[in-house]
Amino acid sequence: MSTGTNADISKMKNEPDGAFRRKPSSFRSHITKDGQYTPEKGRYHLYVSYACPWATRTLIMRKLKGLEDFVGVTVVSPRMGVNGWPLGDVDPFPAAEPDLINGAQHIKDLYHKVQPDYDGRYTVPVLWDKKTSTIVNNESSEIIRMFNSEFNDQLSPAEAKLDFYPEELRAEVDSVNEWVYDTVNNGVYKSGFATSQSAYEAAVIPLFKSLDRLENMLEGKEYLIGNRLTEADVRLFVTIVRFDPVYVGHFKCNIRTIRNGYPNLHLWMRKLYWNIPAFKETCNFEHIKTHYYWSHPMINPHRVVPVGPEPNILPL
């Protein structure tokens, strides 16, 4: 069984130029009405971390679409160590839970249960199929699409009507998602995990250019695209809400803060957080801050978790 560098993020290897390159997700099956994995109430289960922006995308969409009774959730501890993400019985932490589905002690156990010779990274989210005891998908962008549409026949008319990837806006959503993912969602990681000055600057400068672009896009607007909530807002929110508490200090994304440098972005984020329960109720700042500052000893060897900023998110 492979464990070592694939579980322990502190031993990951960057490119020769010091740049961080994210590997693609490994499990890419889909829930579809006519496929192997059909939409059934209670069949699927999500393993997530409140700390992880990719995982909390799926929690937000699950709540927006009213899927809480359809898809169960298990939350891991934020303290990701040499064995990767631990479950709550291995590492008791407030709001972390034991795995009552598979009895896993770490997320890596799920990957090896499905594929004993698995040699990729042990990431969350994991969308698990209880019927066939396997991983359906571990790519958050695909999981939120499934949640958006595949259970509609079984939801209330009001929930089924909610569409966060509407046909008429798909081209624009896809276009925004593409550059936001590369320069913002992943840009903070490319900045923070860089091991050379040149790699860091090659990531952090485009990151702030994109934040400037987003600031302009949100001038006088409630949402990024089409004056309605779309998955583009969900995908951006999870990075922006972590920005001042974590990325400014820990990942050296400190050209400007959101609260003092981007009034439109800041207002957009706070409106989502304070006005739409799916955003606030899936956001746990204790998990977020503990995870980043504790789990990356190559960046923060003493694992001291900063007290600020206070508050983590400002009121409206």
Side-chain angles (χ1 to χ4, degrees), residues 104-177:
Q105 294 191 318
H106 295 87
I107 288 296
K108 71 175 185 178
D109 300 339
L110 300 173
Y111 284 84
H112 287 293
K113 179 172 183 173
V114 171
Q115 188 177 326
D117 62 348
Y118 179 77
D119 197 34
R121 297 206 66 83
Y122 310 104
T123 59
V124 287
V126 170
L127 181 62
W128 184 267
D129 177 21
K130 294 192 286 186
K131 181 180 274 189
T132 61
S133 198
T134 196
I135 297 172
V136 179
N137 196 294
N138 68 341
E139 171 50 57
S140 65
S141 64
E142 295 174 358
I143 295 171
I144 65 173
R145 294 264 173 96
M146 295 178 224
F147 287 179
N148 181 59
S149 60
E150 295 304 326
F151 291 88
N152 281 348
D153 290 351
Q154 300 171 56
L155 295 173
S156 71
E159 290 163 338
K161 198 165 72 172
L162 293 170
D163 186 1
F164 303 100
Y165 187 53
E167 187 77 44
E168 68 274 16
L169 297 177
R170 286 183 182 180
E172 195 174 353
V173 168
D174 288 343
S175 174
V176 169
N177 282 346

Side-chain angles (χ1 to χ4, degrees), residues 172-193:
E172 195 174 353
V173 168
D174 288 343
S175 174
V176 169
N177 282 346
E178 184 175 11
W179 61 265
V180 166
Y181 166 77
D182 181 48
T183 59
V184 181
N185 299 138
N186 202 36
V188 293
Y189 286 90
K190 290 192 286 187
S191 302
F193 288 155

Side-chain angles (χ1 to χ4, degrees), residues 5-18:
T5 58
N6 288 338
D8 187 353
I9 196 169
S10 69
K11 292 187 170 61
M12 69 180 184
K13 288 184 170 61
N14 280 18
E15 299 298 314
D17 63 356

Side-chain angles (χ1 to χ4, degrees), residues 267-292:
L267 181 61
W268 164 87
M269 175 190 72
R270 286 180 293 145
K271 282 183 173 179
L272 292 177
Y273 182 90
W274 292 112
N275 293 340
I276 303 176
F279 290 87
K280 182 175 187 288
E281 292 173 13
T282 58
C283 188
N284 185 315
F285 285 106
E286 184 181 13
H287 278 236
I288 289 167
K289 289 172 63 173
T290 299
H291 166 66
Y292 284 95

Side-chain angles (χ1 to χ4, degrees), residues 48-67:
V48 299
S49 164
Y50 282 136
C52 172
W54 320 102
T56 48
R57 288 175 173 184
T58 65
L59 288 179
I60 292 169
M61 189 64 75
R62 171 181 173 265
K63 191 164 185 65
L64 285 172
K65 285 292 292 188
L67 290 170

